[in-house]
Amino acid sequence: MPLEPAIESGDRSHTLAPVESVAQISSMLLDTDPTLDPALAEAARAAAAEGVVLLTNDGTLPLGERSVAVFGRVQIDWFAVGYGSGGDVKVPYVWNLLAGLRDAGVRVDAELASHYSTWSAANRPVFADSWGQWPHHFPEMPLDESVVAAAASRADTAVVAIGRAAGEARDSILEAGSYYLTDDERMLLDTVTSHFARTVVVVDAGNVMDLSWVADYRDRIGAVLFAWQGGMEGARAVASVLAGESSPSGKLTDTIALSYEDYPSAPNFGHLDVNVYAEDVFVGYRYFETFAPDRVLFPFGHGLSYTTFELSTEADADAGTLRLEVVVTNTGDRAGKEVVQVYTGAPDGALGKPARHLAAFAKTRLLAPGESDTVRLEVHVDDLASYDDGGETGHRNAWVLEAGEYPVFVGADVRSAAEVAAFEVPETQVVREATEVAAPAHAFERLTLARAADGSAVAAREPVPTRTVSRAERVLGSLPAELPQTGDRGIDLAHVASGTASLDDFVAQLSDEELSLLARGDVTMDSPLGAPGNAGVLAGVSESLRAKGVPPVTTTDGPSGIRLSAYASLLPSGTALASTWNVPLIEELAALHSQEMLRKGSDVLLSPGMNIHRDPLCGRNFEYFSEDPVVTGRIAAAVVRGVQSTGLSACPKHFAANNQETNRTRNDSRVSERALREIYLRGFEICVREAAPRTIMTSYNQINGVWSHYHHDLATVILREEWGYEGVVITDWWIEDAVDPDFPALEDNAYRVRAQVDVLMPGGVKTDAAPQAYADTTILDSLAREDGLTRGELQRTARNVLGLAIALKPVVDARTLEG
């Protein structure tokens, strides 16, 4: 049967020529773009397969030699990834489930498949013309019970495919067809399960949706497979798992609750102007394992296999580190991989802490029946510290390890992990002194932990500590010195790269105009200075800068592929990648993707997306990794290392607390400093420390009343001073107009540069009439004012941008020579 449809960039209704076999795909790749790498496609398929999560299975899976009837239109109209800048890649093909099952040798009922194919061809999905109006689902094909009964007479197992889409600028909603099943989908499940003794449900979705119906149907559904959207090879990967070619090894990176209302963020999500992060550090499993374990349908880290495993752990500790050796043995009769997950607990102390939090993880190699693998992991005591933002421990603005016992649990998910060791901290100690950053300006109450008389956890409330630091004093105390301008001395950026001149010597040559140009992109998306279809170009955006050896640096959208006018590979969504829990595999995939960047002319991939899954309705959750910051940070670091292995740059995003798409450019995330540091910044910190990304992107939203692209506390104090970040910070595309409340002589881009958010992208002014028609003059205007932006600040920004250009210059020069 034809492989329908494929996806054209920006137009999901486009259909390429029908594809019926792997050989035909190979031929088509040569015709459309011979630079597309089959090795990258194979790595993407492997990652997509490892990211599939088997939620339930009574032995119905794998399908094996059984005849199978496939229901649901998404078997044809497969959702390969989410919508928006993170997924709209010009991809040459996309496997669908029907073609994938046939490719895997599954005996698919031909009559039913033909019925669906004919109907789907005549009822193509409808797409809105405007950005952000992505479909949440596609309406189901009307299905008479007689058709189901006839299929049941020909096949003994049913596979029902249910699909959901999500995308940028649009959150999921609590309605049928988005978070909930439609009446037609319910009817489909009712009818199929009444005629088939064996039913498998495949959920093709990038975001968590309501799964309470799994409990409703109980043993009428034999297996449920959550197929996080796996890109162009995703459906083929799902089919290989269904068929038994590979054993599922994916694990949930989110808790799936019994109902939406059970999520602690539910009362404070989706508001237009302000979302109060009242759940504080109790996000996802941290909340459920502490306060509401009975409200969990599938726990964090859950995922079944076609085989079974036994874990045996030995622990050895010194003063600061616990070393774990976990022997994993395949005790079943099929090959498979297992994920070893290490969690720690903590004493309640003065701060109140979640019952468990993830400390480390690793995945085994493929184990044959009876085979063992030894996984070695470390837990550092300092990493167990909590942040005291109110002085409850006597150490305000410090990472504190409170006295008491810290148990360590090892297992295959957060719920089943068993205690294997414990740390004893004899007295409270400060692990690291810090300083107040981005604290709330508005008072609110946050969730904290109390204990009932019987010792059980009780949800309590306490006032959140509010801001005490003067930003104005902090900024004025860290203004950089100015380099005396020398004018052009003939120093080329290549001289700096070779070490024959200093970067300061080069920067001193630059005029105010050139300095201001380095602080913005080339005004438009699809800049003529970069590969066609680029997201924007920075650095060498003028003839004078290019004459001094500053190359144009091309950015492209990600994370699921390179969004250009040319064909490019469509990779698994962020959640699919994280659900593998396989750091080496993700790094390998990202390294192959970086080779495609080289071929396509991309210098900076706007990836990985790494915001926390605070709430299951966030429209861009598919781009992100997890509700947990450790999973987020480690997977993101793998992506960054892989992308940068060829000398290019990754760009983690969106820094920070970007957890909602509704009114995303105006919304204020009101969050305690503790939650900000422990949850929403922690993944970024891990990524920066482990992988040193060359570029980072700010978010659209406000954090405690300050837009991220103006946030000195985040971009300078946290990112650069505390974490030692040395790269470039760029905005998400365009910024909100504002005057600096502490320094009225600064507005818009001057305000941004003072925060050390280096580059406005794509560089132009956003207006209703012409969204990117021209660059503003706010930097130069402020520079000329008393109490305005200083030349030293502009020169500091120039150093950051030129540092990126130097790091990329050999790659850019090589591409130019090849061109």
Side-chain angles (χ1 to χ4, degrees):
M1 291 296 294
L3 181 61
E4 316 162 0
I7 300 170
E8 189 76 59
S9 178
D11 181 6
R12 291 291 177 101
S13 60
H14 177 81
T15 304
L16 295 177
V19 177
E20 299 179 357
S21 68
V22 175
Q24 190 171 352
I25 287 177
S26 299
S27 174
M28 185 175 68
L29 286 178
L30 290 174
D31 291 340
T32 56
D33 191 338
T35 70
L36 292 175
D37 184 5
L40 176 57
E42 180 58 33
R45 181 162 76 108
E50 286 205 22
V52 170
V53 179
L54 181 61
L55 295 176
T56 68
N57 188 24
D58 63 0
T60 300
L61 289 179
L63 295 172
E65 299 298 318
R66 294 196 298 271
S67 55
V68 175
V70 187
F71 296 88
R73 75 169 298 165
V74 78
Q75 66 176 290
I76 305 292
D77 300 316
W78 186 259
F79 291 111
V81 76
Y83 295 95
S85 58
D88 286 345
V89 176
K90 185 176 179 180
V91 58
Y93 70 89
V94 169
W95 282 91
N96 65 29
L97 185 61
L98 181 58
L101 288 168
R102 286 174 166 152
D103 175 70
V106 175
R107 291 195 295 132
V108 174
D109 180 66
E111 186 172 335
L112 181 63
S114 177
H115 188 35
Y116 269 102
S117 295
T118 300
W119 184 88
S120 293
N123 295 272
R124 302 305 305 143
V126 176
F127 293 80
D129 293 332
S130 57
W131 175 267
Q133 296 304 305
W134 331 111
H136 291 298
H137 79 295
F138 298 147
E140 265 303 332
M141 180 183 80
L143 194 65
D144 291 337
E145 187 169 0
S146 61
V147 174
V148 179
S153 70
R154 300 186 298 267
D156 63 5
T157 301
V159 172
V160 179
I162 294 172
R164 286 296 182 272
E168 183 176 2
R170 186 180 194 185
D171 289 317
S172 299
I173 54 178
L174 294 173
E175 294 181 6
S178 182
Y179 190 70
Y180 299 111
L181 291 181
T182 65
D183 290 343
D184 287 344
E185 289 166 338
R186 276 279 188 178
M187 185 176 297
L188 176 62
L189 287 175
D190 288 343
T191 306
V192 169
T193 56
S194 68
H195 286 278
F196 284 84
R198 298 186 184 93
T199 299
V200 177
V201 178
V202 175
V203 180
D204 167 28
N207 295 14
V208 169
M209 64 175 290
D210 174 62
L211 294 183
S212 61
W213 48 268
V214 175
D216 294 342
Y217 284 93
R218 292 188 173 84
D219 56 0
R220 293 169 63 189
I221 294 176
V224 178
L225 199 74
F226 210 117
W228 304 110
Q229 292 160 347
M232 63 190 188
E233 291 280 340
R236 188 179 177 208
V238 172
S240 75
V241 172
L242 291 169
E245 291 181 344
S246 57
S247 181
S249 62
K251 303 285 186 175
L252 290 176
T253 62
D254 294 311
T255 305
I256 298 181
L258 285 170
S259 72
Y260 174 75
E261 291 73 22
D262 291 321
Y263 289 99
S265 59
N268 293 289
F269 180 85
H271 305 304
L272 283 178
D273 299 318
V274 172
N275 282 301
V276 175
Y277 287 41
E279 70 279 2
D280 207 54
V281 298
F282 296 95
V283 177
Y285 72 87
R286 286 168 164 80
Y287 169 81
F288 288 105
E289 298 306 309
T290 305
F291 298 113
D294 59 328
R295 302 307 300 167
V296 174
L297 187 61
F298 297 107
F300 178 85
H302 169 77
L304 303 177
S305 173
Y306 292 153
T307 189
T308 55
F309 299 94
E310 181 180 278
L311 276 62
S312 176
T313 304
E314 291 188 3
D316 176 57
D318 59 24
T321 304
L322 178 69
R323 295 175 181 84
L324 302 170
E325 283 197 358
V326 185
V327 178
V328 183
T329 302
N330 184 342
T331 56
D333 57 6
R334 300 179 70 94
K337 297 182 180 182
E338 179 62 297
V339 177
V340 178
Q341 302 168 38
V342 181
Y343 298 88
T344 59
D348 292 346
L351 297 177
K353 303 171 190 70
R356 294 188 179 188
H357 79 264
L358 184 70
F361 65 89
K363 197 168 194 173
T364 67
R365 56 184 170 83
L366 184 67
L367 300 179
E371 191 175 11
S372 298
D373 189 16
T374 300
V375 174
R376 294 175 175 85
L377 294 164
E378 292 186 348
V379 177
H380 299 282
V381 179
D382 286 359
D383 290 340
L384 309 184
S386 300
Y387 188 79
D388 185 350
D389 58 0
E392 297 299 320
T393 67
H395 304 283
R396 184 165 185 166
N397 304 129
W399 291 91
V400 179
L401 200 62
E402 293 197 74
E405 186 176 79
Y406 291 76
V408 179
F409 309 88
V410 173
D413 64 63
V414 70
R415 184 65 58 83
S416 66
E419 184 172 347
V420 298
F423 288 105
E424 183 66 36
V425 177
E427 58 184 29
T428 296
Q429 55 188 271
V430 174
V431 168
R432 188 167 75 247
E433 296 281 2
T435 185
E436 179 188 301
V437 293
H442 298 85
F444 61 88
E445 288 195 332
R446 64 179 174 186
L447 179 63
T448 190
L449 174 66
R451 292 288 176 185
D454 62 359
S456 60
V458 176
R461 299 284 167 178
E462 67 179 9
V464 68
T466 52
R467 189 174 303 167
T468 65
V469 170
S470 165
R471 171 183 173 268
E473 291 178 6
R474 172 176 281 172
V475 170
L476 290 175
S478 62
L479 290 180
E482 177 184 336
L483 294 171
Q485 288 182 313
T486 63
D488 191 347
R489 296 169 54 202
I491 300 173
D492 189 276
L493 195 62
H495 297 138
V496 180
S498 66
T500 58
S502 72
L503 184 55
D504 280 355
D505 289 339
F506 183 87
V507 170
Q509 299 178 113
L510 301 179
S511 68
D512 292 347
E513 173 69 21
E514 288 171 324
L515 291 170
S516 71
L517 289 169
L518 288 172
R520 67 162 173 83
D522 189 35
V523 182
T524 65
M525 296 180 69
D526 195 15
S527 165
L529 298 175
N534 64 77
V537 167
L538 67 147
V541 299
S542 70
E543 290 185 9
S544 67
L545 288 169
R546 294 193 292 276
K548 292 180 176 67
V550 181
V553 173
T554 299
T555 68
T556 52
D557 276 327
S560 292
I562 306 168
R563 195 161 73 119
L564 288 168
S565 298
Y567 285 101
S569 303
L570 183 66
L571 305 185
S573 67
T575 307
L577 294 179
S579 296
T580 69
W581 296 64
N582 191 333
V583 171
L585 176 64
I586 302 311
E587 187 168 343
E588 177 187 352
L589 174 66
L592 287 168
H593 196 213
S594 185
Q595 295 286 346
E596 184 168 271
M597 290 174 63
L598 283 172
R599 293 190 295 271
K600 299 295 181 182
S602 171
D603 304 315
V604 179
L605 185 68
L606 304 178
S607 166
M610 51 185 302
N611 292 107
I612 294 295
H613 292 175
R614 175 180 177 248
D615 189 280
L617 297 183
C618 177
R620 287 182 94 170
N621 277 353
F622 74 93
E623 292 187 47
Y624 309 144
F625 297 131
S626 176
E627 69 187 25
D628 178 77
V630 173
V631 171
T632 295
R634 298 269 151 77
I635 297 296
V639 172
V640 171
R641 288 192 300 268
V643 168
Q644 296 189 169
S645 65
T646 59
L648 299 174
S649 176
C651 181
K653 61 183 185 182
H654 306 89
F655 189 70
N658 186 132
N659 307 107
Q660 173 176 304
E661 290 301 289
T662 300
N663 201 30
R664 59 183 178 162
T665 64
R666 306 293 299 175
N667 201 271
D668 187 9
S669 298
R670 294 187 180 169
V671 55
S672 77
E673 189 189 354
R674 181 185 177 190
L676 188 64
R677 284 182 176 271
E678 291 190 21
I679 305 295
Y680 300 100
L681 296 180
R682 179 65 176 140
F684 285 99
E685 181 180 10
I686 291 170
C687 183
V688 167
R689 295 190 188 279
E690 293 189 0
R694 294 184 170 114
T695 317
I696 286 178
M697 182 194 293
T698 60
S699 57
Y700 280 130
N701 55 288
Q702 299 176 65
I703 301 97
N704 290 323
V706 181
W707 275 288
S708 63
H709 44 259
Y710 298 134
H711 222 304
H712 181 273
D713 273 9
L714 295 184
T716 294
V717 180
I718 281 275
L719 187 58
R720 300 183 193 276
E721 295 176 1
E722 287 196 17
W723 301 349
Y725 179 68
E726 296 180 346
V728 171
V729 180
I730 67 174
T731 69
D732 204 340
W733 268 223
W734 304 287
I735 62 176
E736 296 299 310
D737 297 342
V739 175
D740 189 323
D742 295 309
F743 307 101
L746 285 74
E747 60 184 320
D748 303 345
N749 285 298
Y751 182 10
R752 169 184 59 79
V753 168
R754 175 148 290 179
Q756 210 172 169
V757 174
D758 300 304
V759 183
L760 169 68
M761 293 299 294
V765 172
K766 184 180 181 182
T767 68
D768 293 337
Q772 45 185 1
Y774 64 94
D776 73 17
T777 62
T778 53
I779 289 176
L780 293 177
D781 292 345
S782 179
L783 196 64
R785 294 176 188 147
E786 185 178 358
D787 298 326
L789 192 68
T790 68
R791 183 175 290 113
E793 291 173 282
L794 264 184
Q795 291 170 333
R796 179 178 62 184
T797 283
R799 288 190 195 93
N800 294 336
V801 175
L802 293 170
L804 173 66
I806 290 169
L808 298 174
K809 194 172 188 301
V811 176
V812 175
D813 286 348
R815 184 187 297 123
T816 301
L817 289 173
E818 289 174 4

